[in-house]
Amino acid sequence: MNLRIIAIIFVFIFQIQKITSQSSIPHLKKVGDETQLIVDGNPFIVLGGELGNSTFTSVDYMEPHWETLKAMNLNTVLAPVYWELIEPQEGQYDFELLDKLIEETRRNDLKMIVLWFGSWKNSMSSHVPSWVKQNQEKYPRAKDERGVSQEILTPFSKENLNADLNAFRALIQHIKEIDKGHQTVIMVQPENEIGMLPSARDYHPLATKHFKEEVPEELINYLIEHKENLVPEFLKVWKENGFRTTGNWEEIFGAGYATDEIFMAWYFSKYAEAITKAGKEIYPLPMFVNAALIRPGKIPGEYPSAGPLPHLMDIWKAGAPSIDMFSPDFYTPDFEYWNDLYVRQNNPLFVPEHRFDNTVGAKALFAIGHYEAIGFSPFGIESNVNMELANAYRLIEQLHPIIVDNFGQNKIDGVLLEKDKILSTVVLGDYEFSFKNSYTLGWEAGATDEVWDSGGAIIIQTDTNEFFVAGSGIVVTFKNWKQRDKIVGILKNEEGKFKDGKWEVIRHLNGDQTHQGRHIRISHGDYSIQRIQLYEYE
Ligand code: DGJ
């Protein structure tokens, strides 16, 4: 063999190895119109929980909490890594704590999502190392409208970005070295709830200089190219100013807080892009950014502005193409409303934070069923064992094989039923299902309470007339929308469980349990799986 052929063989083997190793690390995969997370080569649904901010900073402090996480059937813990702890002195990294915690995560048979508390955490820069905090000259701060410095690194400083980049690169390099063979770390969230406060834009001189400049061509070209498909809230702002394509920020979008926010969103997204891209060049794990949602009635500057919020999705998409997902954090109601906004522009839904209340079980089922979400994760997960969540996660875990088989094919849906939304209609195949909160029957204790428990369910079609329904607090009736002259009856209704992917019947449901064949029902707190087969009669 001559040298040329040997060289070609080597290059070929190297390429194959590269492709194999890259495809075997956690990654996202498009299935139909939906997106699936692949871990260890298999589809993975994140049944997660996020730790309180300071819990994962000591092995001993964390020790008693592992049991709590296991008791709720979690498969993934979302945990912060503080910049100040991994780089206490500039350029000197300390990963001892992180290594121990990753080992503990593995020992507890969990996966981990790393939250990078870098330049920003809930708008602020509280987690930057002291050598950054104390050198404001080199690492400048954002200023509010009155010119007062905030404890927020300005995104307009190259020094700020470079310092964060160095640390993030070191972190990802380290994770790659210690974890590539294990895949304990499955995703990364660069930064946390980026947002400008207490004014809509940064008034640091570096920011003001950029504000007066022409809007970058990169953004304008994106807007022109995607004009037909921009989110309506954003399109409106641009349209009201005559769809201008040249000029500075105020000339193109008009003067006002909305423009201040758009301007900041562009520069925040560029900063987050640089971080994400650099991390992925080392170890391309899926990476997402999260957003604090807007409280009712607040205007830019009154809420953490310019983060990856729904009305700014296009700006973020244009500025940060390396980011895989924009994710909502829920501490306000209107779960469905916000999620509907987040699944636009092909954005896969992942809910990294939800207030740890009693609605989380129903919402986990709804998110995984209705949005075929990547995962769900209440915040402050170590604080107590919440049985609603434990039960919902147990059901999803059992359903996993049939969710995977039917994923992305319009065969899966989910419902969330609250007192102000008692009915939800689902269409799968030929059938239309009316789901109601089971309190509407008036039979269950709790039906007369002022605040209702949430009902939630996943429904999966496994054959023309066969469906699995899993959840709690629901009552379901059926119609065949193709044969409206016929009545739909229950051919068979079983309660059961999936063991190693196989359906095992626990009991045959009929009589009072189906209201003598009129409906199927799972009472509040019951959290079970039912198989139903339907038929038509005249
Ligand atoms: C949202 C943040 O992302 C979390 O880190 C935490 O601060 C929660 N808010 C609420 O405490």
Side-chain angles (χ1 to χ4, degrees), residues 400-428:
H400 189 266
I402 60 167
I403 293 181
V404 170
D405 280 353
N406 295 287
F407 193 86
Q409 301 166 48
N410 297 322
K411 288 186 175 172
I412 307 178
D413 210 333
V415 295
L416 177 65
L417 301 160
E418 322 256 21
K419 201 171 192 176
D420 58 1
K421 189 188 182 188
I422 52 169
L423 169 72
S424 191
T425 305
V426 165
V427 175
L428 287 176

PDB file of all heavy atoms in Angstrom, residues 400-428:
ATOM      1  N   HIS A 400     -43.286   5.316  28.921  1.00  0.00           N
ATOM      2  CA  HIS A 400     -42.163   5.695  28.045  1.00  0.00           C
ATOM      3  C   HIS A 400     -42.112   4.904  26.725  1.00  0.00           C
ATOM      4  O   HIS A 400     -42.032   5.500  25.640  1.00  0.00           O
ATOM      5  CB  HIS A 400     -40.840   5.594  28.826  1.00  0.00           C
ATOM      6  CG  HIS A 400     -39.678   6.165  28.089  1.00  0.00           C
ATOM      7  ND1 HIS A 400     -38.852   5.394  27.301  1.00  0.00           N
ATOM      8  CD2 HIS A 400     -39.217   7.424  27.964  1.00  0.00           C
ATOM      9  CE1 HIS A 400     -37.934   6.162  26.751  1.00  0.00           C
ATOM     10  NE2 HIS A 400     -38.129   7.391  27.143  1.00  0.00           N
ATOM     11  N   PRO A 401     -42.193   3.561  26.766  1.00  0.00           N
ATOM     12  CA  PRO A 401     -42.096   2.829  25.474  1.00  0.00           C
ATOM     13  C   PRO A 401     -43.197   3.205  24.489  1.00  0.00           C
ATOM     14  O   PRO A 401     -42.925   3.322  23.288  1.00  0.00           O
ATOM     15  CB  PRO A 401     -42.236   1.351  25.884  1.00  0.00           C
ATOM     16  CG  PRO A 401     -41.960   1.314  27.348  1.00  0.00           C
ATOM     17  CD  PRO A 401     -42.304   2.650  27.910  1.00  0.00           C
ATOM     18  N   ILE A 402     -44.426   3.420  24.980  1.00  0.00           N
ATOM     19  CA  ILE A 402     -45.474   3.742  23.986  1.00  0.00           C
ATOM     20  C   ILE A 402     -45.435   5.225  23.600  1.00  0.00           C
ATOM     21  O   ILE A 402     -45.879   5.593  22.522  1.00  0.00           O
ATOM     22  CB  ILE A 402     -46.894   3.259  24.377  1.00  0.00           C
ATOM     23  CG1 ILE A 402     -47.379   3.861  25.680  1.00  0.00           C
ATOM     24  CG2 ILE A 402     -46.994   1.741  24.393  1.00  0.00           C
ATOM     25  CD1 ILE A 402     -48.885   3.632  25.876  1.00  0.00           C
ATOM     26  N   ILE A 403     -44.879   6.047  24.478  1.00  0.00           N
ATOM     27  CA  ILE A 403     -44.671   7.451  24.059  1.00  0.00           C
ATOM     28  C   ILE A 403     -43.648   7.458  22.925  1.00  0.00           C
ATOM     29  O   ILE A 403     -43.837   8.096  21.886  1.00  0.00           O
ATOM     30  CB  ILE A 403     -44.183   8.332  25.239  1.00  0.00           C
ATOM     31  CG1 ILE A 403     -45.283   8.476  26.297  1.00  0.00           C
ATOM     32  CG2 ILE A 403     -43.740   9.713  24.725  1.00  0.00           C
ATOM     33  CD1 ILE A 403     -44.942   9.339  27.494  1.00  0.00           C
ATOM     34  N   VAL A 404     -42.569   6.721  23.112  1.00  0.00           N
ATOM     35  CA  VAL A 404     -41.506   6.689  22.092  1.00  0.00           C
ATOM     36  C   VAL A 404     -42.043   6.130  20.773  1.00  0.00           C
ATOM     37  O   VAL A 404     -41.813   6.692  19.697  1.00  0.00           O
ATOM     38  CB  VAL A 404     -40.307   5.863  22.606  1.00  0.00           C
ATOM     39  CG1 VAL A 404     -39.295   5.615  21.497  1.00  0.00           C
ATOM     40  CG2 VAL A 404     -39.635   6.584  23.783  1.00  0.00           C
ATOM     41  N   ASP A 405     -42.803   5.034  20.850  1.00  0.00           N
ATOM     42  CA  ASP A 405     -43.331   4.417  19.621  1.00  0.00           C
ATOM     43  C   ASP A 405     -44.239   5.357  18.838  1.00  0.00           C
ATOM     44  O   ASP A 405     -44.363   5.243  17.619  1.00  0.00           O
ATOM     45  CB  ASP A 405     -44.181   3.186  19.963  1.00  0.00           C
ATOM     46  CG  ASP A 405     -43.304   1.990  20.243  1.00  0.00           C
ATOM     47  OD1 ASP A 405     -42.075   2.098  20.049  1.00  0.00           O
ATOM     48  OD2 ASP A 405     -43.844   0.952  20.683  1.00  0.00           O
ATOM     49  N   ASN A 406     -44.938   6.226  19.537  1.00  0.00           N
ATOM     50  CA  ASN A 406     -45.951   7.049  18.878  1.00  0.00           C
ATOM     51  C   ASN A 406     -45.556   8.526  18.775  1.00  0.00           C
ATOM     52  O   ASN A 406     -46.344   9.357  18.341  1.00  0.00           O
ATOM     53  CB  ASN A 406     -47.281   6.914  19.631  1.00  0.00           C
ATOM     54  CG  ASN A 406     -47.800   5.494  19.535  1.00  0.00           C
ATOM     55  OD1 ASN A 406     -48.269   5.083  18.481  1.00  0.00           O
ATOM     56  ND2 ASN A 406     -47.671   4.727  20.601  1.00  0.00           N
ATOM     57  N   PHE A 407     -44.331   8.823  19.167  1.00  0.00           N
ATOM     58  CA  PHE A 407     -43.847  10.202  19.243  1.00  0.00           C
ATOM     59  C   PHE A 407     -43.840  10.891  17.872  1.00  0.00           C
ATOM     60  O   PHE A 407     -43.487  10.294  16.858  1.00  0.00           O
ATOM     61  CB  PHE A 407     -42.426  10.195  19.822  1.00  0.00           C
ATOM     62  CG  PHE A 407     -41.925  11.544  20.230  1.00  0.00           C
ATOM     63  CD1 PHE A 407     -42.210  12.048  21.491  1.00  0.00           C
ATOM     64  CD2 PHE A 407     -41.180  12.322  19.357  1.00  0.00           C
ATOM     65  CE1 PHE A 407     -41.754  13.290  21.868  1.00  0.00           C
ATOM     66  CE2 PHE A 407     -40.724  13.578  19.729  1.00  0.00           C
ATOM     67  CZ  PHE A 407     -41.010  14.059  20.996  1.00  0.00           C
ATOM     68  N   GLY A 408     -44.274  12.152  17.880  1.00  0.00           N
ATOM     69  CA  GLY A 408     -44.179  12.973  16.661  1.00  0.00           C
ATOM     70  C   GLY A 408     -45.091  12.532  15.538  1.00  0.00           C
ATOM     71  O   GLY A 408     -44.848  12.862  14.382  1.00  0.00           O
ATOM     72  N   GLN A 409     -46.148  11.776  15.847  1.00  0.00           N
ATOM     73  CA  GLN A 409     -47.027  11.272  14.780  1.00  0.00           C
ATOM     74  C   GLN A 409     -48.483  11.677  14.991  1.00  0.00           C
ATOM     75  O   GLN A 409     -49.398  11.013  14.509  1.00  0.00           O
ATOM     76  CB  GLN A 409     -46.963   9.738  14.737  1.00  0.00           C
ATOM     77  CG  GLN A 409     -45.567   9.190  14.494  1.00  0.00           C
ATOM     78  CD  GLN A 409     -45.517   7.684  14.796  1.00  0.00           C
ATOM     79  OE1 GLN A 409     -46.356   6.920  14.355  1.00  0.00           O
ATOM     80  NE2 GLN A 409     -44.530   7.274  15.575  1.00  0.00           N
ATOM     81  N   ASN A 410     -48.706  12.725  15.800  1.00  0.00           N
ATOM     82  CA  ASN A 410     -50.071  13.163  16.143  1.00  0.00           C
ATOM     83  C   ASN A 410     -50.877  12.063  16.805  1.00  0.00           C
ATOM     84  O   ASN A 410     -52.072  11.911  16.560  1.00  0.00           O
ATOM     85  CB  ASN A 410     -50.825  13.658  14.895  1.00  0.00           C
ATOM     86  CG  ASN A 410     -50.154  14.859  14.302  1.00  0.00           C
ATOM     87  OD1 ASN A 410     -49.663  15.716  15.037  1.00  0.00           O
ATOM     88  ND2 ASN A 410     -50.084  14.902  12.988  1.00  0.00           N
ATOM     89  N   LYS A 411     -50.231  11.260  17.619  1.00  0.00           N
ATOM     90  CA  LYS A 411     -50.946  10.183  18.302  1.00  0.00           C
ATOM     91  C   LYS A 411     -50.913  10.368  19.814  1.00  0.00           C
ATOM     92  O   LYS A 411     -51.361   9.497  20.569  1.00  0.00           O
ATOM     93  CB  LYS A 411     -50.312   8.839  17.948  1.00  0.00           C
ATOM     94  CG  LYS A 411     -50.605   8.427  16.515  1.00  0.00           C
ATOM     95  CD  LYS A 411     -50.075   7.051  16.298  1.00  0.00           C
ATOM     96  CE  LYS A 411     -50.451   6.557  14.918  1.00  0.00           C
ATOM     97  NZ  LYS A 411     -49.770   5.307  14.637  1.00  0.00           N
ATOM     98  N   ILE A 412     -50.319  11.453  20.245  1.00  0.00           N
ATOM     99  CA  ILE A 412     -50.198  11.701  21.686  1.00  0.00           C
ATOM    100  C   ILE A 412     -50.765  13.087  21.978  1.00  0.00           C
ATOM    101  O   ILE A 412     -50.538  14.021  21.219  1.00  0.00           O
ATOM    102  CB  ILE A 412     -48.710  11.665  22.130  1.00  0.00           C
ATOM    103  CG1 ILE A 412     -48.047  10.366  21.675  1.00  0.00           C
ATOM    104  CG2 ILE A 412     -48.579  11.845  23.637  1.00  0.00           C
ATOM    105  CD1 ILE A 412     -46.572  10.248  22.027  1.00  0.00           C
ATOM    106  N   ASP A 413     -51.487  13.201  23.064  1.00  0.00           N
ATOM    107  CA  ASP A 413     -51.952  14.531  23.480  1.00  0.00           C
ATOM    108  C   ASP A 413     -52.035  14.568  25.003  1.00  0.00           C
ATOM    109  O   ASP A 413     -51.790  13.539  25.667  1.00  0.00           O
ATOM    110  CB  ASP A 413     -53.309  14.867  22.835  1.00  0.00           C
ATOM    111  CG  ASP A 413     -53.473  16.367  22.614  1.00  0.00           C
ATOM    112  OD1 ASP A 413     -52.857  17.151  23.370  1.00  0.00           O
ATOM    113  OD2 ASP A 413     -54.209  16.763  21.694  1.00  0.00           O
ATOM    114  N   GLY A 414     -52.361  15.719  25.529  1.00  0.00           N
ATOM    115  CA  GLY A 414     -52.446  15.852  26.977  1.00  0.00           C
ATOM    116  C   GLY A 414     -53.449  16.928  27.332  1.00  0.00           C
ATOM    117  O   GLY A 414     -53.781  17.784  26.505  1.00  0.00           O
ATOM    118  N   VAL A 415     -53.962  16.880  28.558  1.00  0.00           N
ATOM    119  CA  VAL A 415     -54.910  17.904  29.004  1.00  0.00           C
ATOM    120  C   VAL A 415     -54.523  18.404  30.389  1.00  0.00           C
ATOM    121  O   VAL A 415     -53.889  17.689  31.177  1.00  0.00           O
ATOM    122  CB  VAL A 415     -56.365  17.366  29.071  1.00  0.00           C
ATOM    123  CG1 VAL A 415     -56.869  17.001  27.688  1.00  0.00           C
ATOM    124  CG2 VAL A 415     -56.486  16.187  30.019  1.00  0.00           C
ATOM    125  N   LEU A 416     -54.937  19.633  30.651  1.00  0.00           N
ATOM    126  CA  LEU A 416     -54.766  20.240  31.966  1.00  0.00           C
ATOM    127  C   LEU A 416     -56.102  20.884  32.307  1.00  0.00           C
ATOM    128  O   LEU A 416     -56.593  21.731  31.553  1.00  0.00           O
ATOM    129  CB  LEU A 416     -53.665  21.300  31.912  1.00  0.00           C
ATOM    130  CG  LEU A 416     -53.420  22.082  33.192  1.00  0.00           C
ATOM    131  CD1 LEU A 416     -52.904  21.165  34.305  1.00  0.00           C
ATOM    132  CD2 LEU A 416     -52.403  23.202  32.941  1.00  0.00           C
ATOM    133  N   LEU A 417     -56.712  20.460  33.399  1.00  0.00           N
ATOM    134  CA  LEU A 417     -58.064  20.915  33.721  1.00  0.00           C
ATOM    135  C   LEU A 417     -58.083  21.603  35.074  1.00  0.00           C
ATOM    136  O   LEU A 417     -57.811  20.983  36.099  1.00  0.00           O
ATOM    137  CB  LEU A 417     -59.025  19.720  33.708  1.00  0.00           C
ATOM    138  CG  LEU A 417     -59.072  19.001  32.357  1.00  0.00           C
ATOM    139  CD1 LEU A 417     -59.608  17.593  32.502  1.00  0.00           C
ATOM    140  CD2 LEU A 417     -59.900  19.798  31.354  1.00  0.00           C
ATOM    141  N   GLU A 418     -58.383  22.887  35.043  1.00  0.00           N
ATOM    142  CA  GLU A 418     -58.420  23.670  36.279  1.00  0.00           C
ATOM    143  C   GLU A 418     -59.869  24.127  36.469  1.00  0.00           C
ATOM    144  O   GLU A 418     -60.720  23.879  35.628  1.00  0.00           O
ATOM    145  CB  GLU A 418     -57.511  24.897  36.162  1.00  0.00           C
ATOM    146  CG  GLU A 418     -56.215  24.647  35.413  1.00  0.00           C
ATOM    147  CD  GLU A 418     -55.001  24.533  36.300  1.00  0.00           C
ATOM    148  OE1 GLU A 418     -55.163  24.262  37.507  1.00  0.00           O
ATOM    149  OE2 GLU A 418     -53.898  24.728  35.783  1.00  0.00           O
ATOM    150  N   LYS A 419     -60.131  24.865  37.556  1.00  0.00           N
ATOM    151  CA  LYS A 419     -61.511  25.295  37.778  1.00  0.00           C
ATOM    152  C   LYS A 419     -61.970  26.267  36.687  1.00  0.00           C
ATOM    153  O   LYS A 419     -63.132  26.280  36.289  1.00  0.00           O
ATOM    154  CB  LYS A 419     -61.658  25.951  39.143  1.00  0.00           C
ATOM    155  CG  LYS A 419     -63.100  25.956  39.627  1.00  0.00           C
ATOM    156  CD  LYS A 419     -63.213  26.404  41.049  1.00  0.00           C
ATOM    157  CE  LYS A 419     -64.604  26.118  41.580  1.00  0.00           C
ATOM    158  NZ  LYS A 419     -64.729  26.444  42.990  1.00  0.00           N
ATOM    159  N   ASP A 420     -61.033  27.076  36.192  1.00  0.00           N
ATOM    160  CA  ASP A 420     -61.433  28.018  35.136  1.00  0.00           C
ATOM    161  C   ASP A 420     -61.252  27.422  33.734  1.00  0.00           C
ATOM    162  O   ASP A 420     -61.409  28.101  32.733  1.00  0.00           O
ATOM    163  CB  ASP A 420     -60.699  29.355  35.273  1.00  0.00           C
ATOM    164  CG  ASP A 420     -59.188  29.196  35.237  1.00  0.00           C
ATOM    165  OD1 ASP A 420     -58.723  28.042  35.080  1.00  0.00           O
ATOM    166  OD2 ASP A 420     -58.471  30.199  35.353  1.00  0.00           O
ATOM    167  N   LYS A 421     -60.853  26.149  33.671  1.00  0.00           N
ATOM    168  CA  LYS A 421     -60.861  25.462  32.369  1.00  0.00           C
ATOM    169  C   LYS A 421     -61.274  24.022  32.641  1.00  0.00           C
ATOM    170  O   LYS A 421     -60.434  23.150  32.834  1.00  0.00           O
ATOM    171  CB  LYS A 421     -59.492  25.526  31.705  1.00  0.00           C
ATOM    172  CG  LYS A 421     -59.609  25.017  30.279  1.00  0.00           C
ATOM    173  CD  LYS A 421     -58.345  24.844  29.543  1.00  0.00           C
ATOM    174  CE  LYS A 421     -58.690  24.374  28.130  1.00  0.00           C
ATOM    175  NZ  LYS A 421     -57.532  23.996  27.377  1.00  0.00           N
ATOM    176  N   ILE A 422     -62.600  23.814  32.669  1.00  0.00           N
ATOM    177  CA  ILE A 422     -63.082  22.502  33.095  1.00  0.00           C
ATOM    178  C   ILE A 422     -63.149  21.503  31.950  1.00  0.00           C
ATOM    179  O   ILE A 422     -63.256  20.306  32.184  1.00  0.00           O
ATOM    180  CB  ILE A 422     -64.479  22.590  33.785  1.00  0.00           C
ATOM    181  CG1 ILE A 422     -65.444  23.359  32.896  1.00  0.00           C
ATOM    182  CG2 ILE A 422     -64.364  23.200  35.174  1.00  0.00           C
ATOM    183  CD1 ILE A 422     -66.870  23.251  33.368  1.00  0.00           C
ATOM    184  N   LEU A 423     -63.073  21.985  30.716  1.00  0.00           N
ATOM    185  CA  LEU A 423     -63.233  21.089  29.568  1.00  0.00           C
ATOM    186  C   LEU A 423     -62.075  21.248  28.600  1.00  0.00           C
ATOM    187  O   LEU A 423     -61.643  22.360  28.311  1.00  0.00           O
ATOM    188  CB  LEU A 423     -64.540  21.427  28.837  1.00  0.00           C
ATOM    189  CG  LEU A 423     -64.748  20.779  27.468  1.00  0.00           C
ATOM    190  CD1 LEU A 423     -65.029  19.284  27.610  1.00  0.00           C
ATOM    191  CD2 LEU A 423     -65.880  21.441  26.713  1.00  0.00           C
ATOM    192  N   SER A 424     -61.581  20.117  28.103  1.00  0.00           N
ATOM    193  CA  SER A 424     -60.567  20.171  27.062  1.00  0.00           C
ATOM    194  C   SER A 424     -60.879  19.093  26.038  1.00  0.00           C
ATOM    195  O   SER A 424     -61.148  17.942  26.408  1.00  0.00           O
ATOM    196  CB  SER A 424     -59.199  19.933  27.700  1.00  0.00           C
ATOM    197  OG  SER A 424     -58.195  20.216  26.786  1.00  0.00           O
ATOM    198  N   THR A 425     -60.852  19.459  24.773  1.00  0.00           N
ATOM    199  CA  THR A 425     -61.202  18.496  23.722  1.00  0.00           C
ATOM    200  C   THR A 425     -59.945  18.044  22.990  1.00  0.00           C
ATOM    201  O   THR A 425     -59.111  18.859  22.616  1.00  0.00           O
ATOM    202  CB  THR A 425     -62.176  19.150  22.722  1.00  0.00           C
ATOM    203  OG1 THR A 425     -63.277  19.640  23.467  1.00  0.00           O
ATOM    204  CG2 THR A 425     -62.682  18.161  21.706  1.00  0.00           C
ATOM    205  N   VAL A 426     -59.864  16.743  22.794  1.00  0.00           N
ATOM    206  CA  VAL A 426     -58.698  16.177  22.112  1.00  0.00           C
ATOM    207  C   VAL A 426     -59.195  15.367  20.924  1.00  0.00           C
ATOM    208  O   VAL A 426     -60.159  14.605  21.062  1.00  0.00           O
ATOM    209  CB  VAL A 426     -57.939  15.236  23.084  1.00  0.00           C
ATOM    210  CG1 VAL A 426     -56.949  14.348  22.347  1.00  0.00           C
ATOM    211  CG2 VAL A 426     -57.229  16.031  24.173  1.00  0.00           C
ATOM    212  N   VAL A 427     -58.574  15.521  19.772  1.00  0.00           N
ATOM    213  CA  VAL A 427     -58.944  14.689  18.616  1.00  0.00           C
ATOM    214  C   VAL A 427     -57.752  13.803  18.271  1.00  0.00           C
ATOM    215  O   VAL A 427     -56.642  14.279  18.056  1.00  0.00           O
ATOM    216  CB  VAL A 427     -59.329  15.564  17.398  1.00  0.00           C
ATOM    217  CG1 VAL A 427     -59.596  14.696  16.172  1.00  0.00           C
ATOM    218  CG2 VAL A 427     -60.561  16.400  17.714  1.00  0.00           C
ATOM    219  N   LEU A 428     -57.980  12.505  18.269  1.00  0.00           N
ATOM    220  CA  LEU A 428     -56.951  11.546  17.859  1.00  0.00           C
ATOM    221  C   LEU A 428     -57.607  10.546  16.929  1.00  0.00           C
ATOM    222  O   LEU A 428     -58.606   9.914  17.293  1.00  0.00           O
ATOM    223  CB  LEU A 428     -56.371  10.812  19.071  1.00  0.00           C
ATOM    224  CG  LEU A 428     -55.435  11.609  20.006  1.00  0.00           C
ATOM    225  CD1 LEU A 428     -55.030  10.758  21.194  1.00  0.00           C
ATOM    226  CD2 LEU A 428     -54.200  12.117  19.278  1.00  0.00           C
TER     227      LEU A 428
END
